[in-house]
């Protein structure tokens, strides 16, 4: 099935090459020695100058039953492999196209029975004139039926030459021509540059990709040529190194220059030595462009390094973060919105994570803690719009089982899109706070208790005071009653005593007649004992009155010297009997205002005591005046028995005489000094004593010149 | 009551032993003596006998010495008779009470008979000089004082 049509020429003259280019080709064709190089130059020219890239030339060699492929450019290898067409197969569309006079266009739909199945192409028969038989074909792949004028011109050029060239030896003998073509096309189809060189690196065969690197067209620029020269040099150097000497496959990298771009290209050079019996040893080299690969590798390495750095940084960051949050004593947890723990510090681990080998109770506690935390976090999630959430969680210390109340402070972390990503929770142990609170409460209680006790004690004290006060009153009343009783009893004593004294007196005075001397002696004893009894009663009465506060003061102004004279005269009989030198040495004193009767009673008492307790020597009655304190002193000094120091304070006590035996050597009631001291105190004064045993005593009555308000 | 007779002393004392002792000693000392055992009796005897001086114990049954003294001093007829109070009660107030009741002097018991006689003589002689009468005590006795 043929699709023969009238082939229109490409009407536009734009693609038509200048006469100079055609001339150059024509010259080249004329110089060509064999058909193959002739055809290849023509096809190359078409490729370079006319932009017709996929072309082939096949000839009908009488020596071969098949059409012989002598040159191709850009034809896919499967097409070349299928290109086996018998010369005598006159039904074959390509053979039929070869026998026609004009060019034939096969549309892509019509090419099914040709090797070009699925492609459109033109087939130009090659014949010297219309009468001569066709020598071969020029096929150019094309999707359009229009014919490039250059293509038509090249076809004509080719048609003129075959007769001349085919007559030469070489073509015929090349029984392998077809296969060489195939090999060429295969090699050319390989995108990697492939070279066949001798051991010095001198080029024997190169595919088109290799030619781009190692061969420069004649019209190439200076830079291009230099780049090609450099590449050849680099390649030779690479081959001359050790690997080439071996037959094994050698693999190394080779840096070349892209002649067109001027950029560096990195190739992997695979070279191996091969031996050919005719041509000797040669080297097959395949260059694989690994520039992009190397770049990619570099980029990968770079990004890997960056990644590693970033990872390291992240790791450092993470490590720092871990250190920081681990250094916080409070448990910190980061949870996702589901409540699952994403991150936690060491204190938190103790609460929410135990080894599986831990005791069952600890595991249970940890699960309970986790549940409590989850419930807290879910609470946080419901609080949308709040950045922070505070709450309390009741946790349990896993190991000890101790209740652990904690305050939880949660913050939410949002993504850039505002979605909640994490919840950060910090737990703060409230145990101490609670304990402090409890302690504080206890202290408060204790304080209250103390206060209550103090109040109780105070109340009790007040009660006791009240009781004491009442007792005091009762005692005073009792004392007053006692005084009253003593006053009454002494009165009652005195009534009969009065009668005894009176009758004794009358008997002694002979009122009832004369009495005998023994009777007088007895009556005298009765009289003296009765008087002693009376003195006792009077003294008791005095003390009672003083103690009851019922001894009235009768204040008068008088001279102390007068009072002394009076006392001296009253005691004159006793003084006379005593055989003592009794003298008075009164100084001139101011008048005193006090109770004269009581002062006299005191002085009488002191002087009679002095007379009583002084067996021999002297008794002196003197006075003194202290102007500063306004006190007068009445001093009774004797040379008597004296009073030992330890007894000096005792003699002022009630019923106290130094000789306390029933048969006392000295008379007196033993109440004298006691009464004297009480009286002196009543008058705002005092009685002082200085004495030494065996040397005598000095009693000094001190009295204020005038009464003082007390 | 003739002027030539010895003065009459009314001894008012409820304690019989003491009353008779004083009476005996006063008679021994030359006085005439009348006795009364209580205040009412003292009033009767005074109005009946008009004594020269009254020796009045203050603590008496029926009517005490203070009341009796007040009444005698309130009576025109008996006002002039000196009353010497005898007080055994040494507690404060008794002596003052006696003066306020109208006693002219007071003697604290126990009082020996001669001390009493001394006081009576003093009172009577003072009264004599006042009245310019010729009444006098017939005798004085030796006196002793207790200390």
């Amino acid at each position: 099935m043929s699709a023969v049509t009238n082939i229109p020429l490409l009407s536009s003259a734009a693609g038509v090459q200048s006469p100079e280019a055609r001339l150059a080709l024509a010259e080249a064709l004329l110089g060509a020695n064999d058909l193959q190089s002739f055809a290849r130059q023509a096809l190359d020219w078409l490729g370079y100058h006319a932009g017709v890239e996929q072309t082939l030339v096949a000839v009908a060699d009488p020596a071969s039953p098949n059409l012989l492929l002598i040159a191709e450019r850009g034809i896919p290898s499967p097409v070349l492999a299928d290109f086996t067409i018998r010369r005598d197969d006159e039904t074959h569309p390509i053979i039929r196209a070869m026998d026609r006079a004009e060019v034939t266009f096969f549309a892509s739909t019509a090419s099914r029975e040709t090797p070009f199945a699925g492609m459109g192409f033109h087939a130009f028969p090659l014949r010297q004139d219309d009468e001569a038989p066709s020598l071969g074909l020029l096929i150019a792949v094309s999707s359009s039926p229009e014919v490039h004028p250059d293509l038509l011109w090249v076809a004509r050029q080719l048609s003129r030459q075959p007769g001349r060239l085919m007559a030469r030896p070489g073509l015929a003998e090349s029984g392998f021509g077809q296969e060489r073509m195939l090999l060429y096309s295969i090699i050319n189809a390989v995108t990697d540059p492939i070279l066949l060189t001798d051991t010095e690196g001198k080029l024997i065969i190169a595919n088109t990709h290799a030619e781009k690197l190692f061969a420069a067209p004649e019209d190439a620029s200076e830079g291009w040529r230099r780049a090609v020269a450099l590449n050849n040099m680099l390649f030779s150097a690479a081959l001359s190194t050790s690997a080439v000497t071996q037959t094994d496959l050698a693999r190394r990298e080779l840096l070349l220059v892209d002649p067109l771009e001027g950029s560096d290209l990195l190739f992997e050079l695979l070279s191996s030595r091969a031996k050919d019996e005719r041509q000797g040893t040669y080297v097959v080299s395949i260059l694989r462009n690994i520039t992009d690969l190397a770049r990619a590798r570099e980029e990968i390495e770079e990004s890997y390094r960056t990644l590693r750095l970033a990872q390291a940084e992240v790791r450092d960051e993470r490590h720092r973060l871990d250190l920081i949050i681990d250094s916080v004593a409070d448990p910190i947890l980061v949870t996702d919105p589901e409540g699952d723990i994403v991150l936690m510090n060491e204190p938190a681990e103790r609460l929410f994570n135990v080894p599986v080998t831990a005791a069952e109770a600890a595991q249970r506690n940890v699960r309970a803690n986790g549940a409590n935390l989850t419930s807290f976090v879910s609470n946080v999630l419901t609080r949308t719009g709040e950045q922070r959430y505070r709450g309390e969680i009741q946790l349990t210390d896993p190991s000890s089982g101790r209740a652990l109340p904690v305050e939880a402070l949660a913050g939410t972390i949002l993504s850039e899109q505002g979605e909640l990503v994490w919840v950060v929770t910090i737990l703060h142990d409230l145990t101490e706070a609670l304990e402090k609170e409890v302690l504080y409460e206890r202290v408060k209680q204790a304080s209250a208790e103390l206060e209550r006790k103090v109040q109780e004690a105070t109340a009790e004290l007040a009660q006791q005071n009240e009781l004491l006060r009442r007792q005091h009153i009762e005692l005073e009343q009792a004392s007053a009653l006692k005084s009253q009783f003593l006053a009454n009893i002494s009165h009652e004593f005195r009534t009969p005593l009065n009668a005894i004294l009176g009758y004794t007196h009358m008997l002694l005075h002979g009122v009832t007649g004369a009495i005998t001397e023994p009777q007088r002696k007895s009556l005298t004893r009765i009289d003296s004992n009765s008087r002693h009894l009376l003195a006792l009663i009077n003294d008791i009465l005095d003390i009672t009155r003083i103690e009851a506060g019922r001894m009235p003061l009768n204040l008068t102004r008088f001279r102390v010297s007068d009072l002394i004279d009076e006392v001296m005269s009253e005691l004159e009989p006793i003084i006379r009997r005593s055989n003592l030198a009794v003298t008075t040495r009164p100084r001139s004193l101011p008048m005193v205002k006090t109770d004269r009767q009581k002062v006299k009673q005191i002085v009488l008492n002191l002087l009679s005591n002095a007379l009583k307790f002084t067996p021999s020597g002297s008794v002196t009655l003197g006075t003194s005046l202290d102007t500063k304190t306004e006190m007068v002193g009445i001093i009774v000094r004797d040379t008597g028995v004296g009073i030992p120091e330890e007894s000096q304070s005792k003699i002022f006590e009630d019923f106290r005489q130094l000789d306390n035996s029933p048969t006392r050597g000295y008379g007196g009631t033993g109440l004298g000094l006691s009464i004297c001291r009480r009286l002196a105190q009543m008058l705002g004064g005092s009685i002082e004593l200085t004495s030494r045993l065996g040397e005598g005593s000095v009693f000094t009555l001190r009295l204020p010149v005038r009464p003082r308000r007390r | 009551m003739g002027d030539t007779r010895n003065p009459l002393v009314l001894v008012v004392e409820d304690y019989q032993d003491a009353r008779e002792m004083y009476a005996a000693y006063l008679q021994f000392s030359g006085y005439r003596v009348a006795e009364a055992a209580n205040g009412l009796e003292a009033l009767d005897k005074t109005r009946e006998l008009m004594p020269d001086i009254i020796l009045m114990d203050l603590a008496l049954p029926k009517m005490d010495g203070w009341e009796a003294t007040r009444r005698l001093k309130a009576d025109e007829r008996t006002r002039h008779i000196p009353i010497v109070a005898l007080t055994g009660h040494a507690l404060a107030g008794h002596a003052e009470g006696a003066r306020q009741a109208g006693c002219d002097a007071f003697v604290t018991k126990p009082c020996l008979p001669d001390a009493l006689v001394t006081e009576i003589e003093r009172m009577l002689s003072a009264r004599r000089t006042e009245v310019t009468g010729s009444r006098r005590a017939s005798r004085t006795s030796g006196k002793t004082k207790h200390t």
Side-chain angles (χ1 to χ4, degrees), chain A residues 89-277:
Chain A
D89 184 3
E90 293 187 349
T91 59
H92 195 279
I94 288 187
I95 299 296
R96 279 161 58 187
M98 185 179 78
D99 289 337
R100 288 186 58 167
E102 297 299 322
V103 61
T104 309
F105 177 70
F106 292 80
S108 59
T109 50
S111 63
R112 202 171 55 231
E113 292 176 20
T114 70
F116 299 92
M119 302 180 192
F121 61 92
H122 291 97
F124 299 88
L126 300 179
R127 60 178 80 212
Q128 284 181 300
D129 54 63
D130 292 352
E131 305 307 314
S134 181
L135 295 173
L137 283 163
L138 167 66
I139 292 177
V141 174
S142 168
S143 52
S144 160
E146 287 173 312
V147 173
H148 196 284
D150 281 339
L151 198 56
L152 207 57
W153 179 77
V154 167
R156 267 199 299 278
Q157 295 302 312
L158 285 172
S159 301
R160 283 187 203 114
Q161 299 302 327
R164 175 176 66 96
L165 291 174
M166 280 171 65
R168 297 191 168 200
L171 174 67
E173 73 178 25
S174 65
F176 300 104
Q178 172 89 15
E179 283 164 35
R180 280 185 63 189
M181 291 295 291
L182 182 60
L183 276 175
Y184 263 122
S185 77
I186 290 171
I187 291 171
N188 280 336
V190 176
T191 51
D192 292 336
I194 298 173
L195 300 108
L196 185 69
T197 55
D198 62 12
T199 48
E200 263 78 61
K202 190 159 171 289
L203 196 64
I204 302 168
I205 300 172
N207 70 352
T208 50
H209 294 285
E211 282 178 354
K212 282 178 191 165
L213 290 171
F214 295 105
E218 287 170 12
D219 58 344
S221 66
E222 183 65 19
W224 189 340
R225 260 196 281 275
R226 269 215 298 276
V228 167
L230 180 65
N231 285 347
N232 279 304
M233 209 167 69
L234 289 168
F235 181 68
S236 301
L239 284 187
S240 65
T241 55
S242 59
V244 186
T245 59
Q246 296 164 1
T247 49
D248 297 334
L249 192 71
R251 188 189 290 263
R252 85 214 62 168
E253 287 187 352
L254 176 63
L255 188 68
L256 299 176
V257 180
D258 184 339
L260 289 174
E261 306 285 331
S263 58
D264 284 351
L265 295 171
L266 185 67
F267 291 91
E268 184 182 45
L269 170 60
L270 291 158
S271 54
S272 89
R273 288 156 74 101
K275 274 201 165 89
D276 184 88
E277 285 172 4

Side-chain angles (χ1 to χ4, degrees), chain A residues 15 105 145 170 181 192 214 225 233 235 254 334 359 364 373 386 405 418 421 445 475 483 511 569 627 657 679 705:
Chain A
F105 177 70
M181 291 295 291
D192 292 336
F214 295 105
R225 260 196 281 275
M233 209 167 69
F235 181 68
L254 176 63
V334 180
R364 206 165 44 240
L373 179 74
E386 280 180 36
V421 189
Q445 275 178 7
L475 278 174
S483 299
V511 174
S569 69
T627 51
Q657 272 189 347
L679 288 175
V705 174

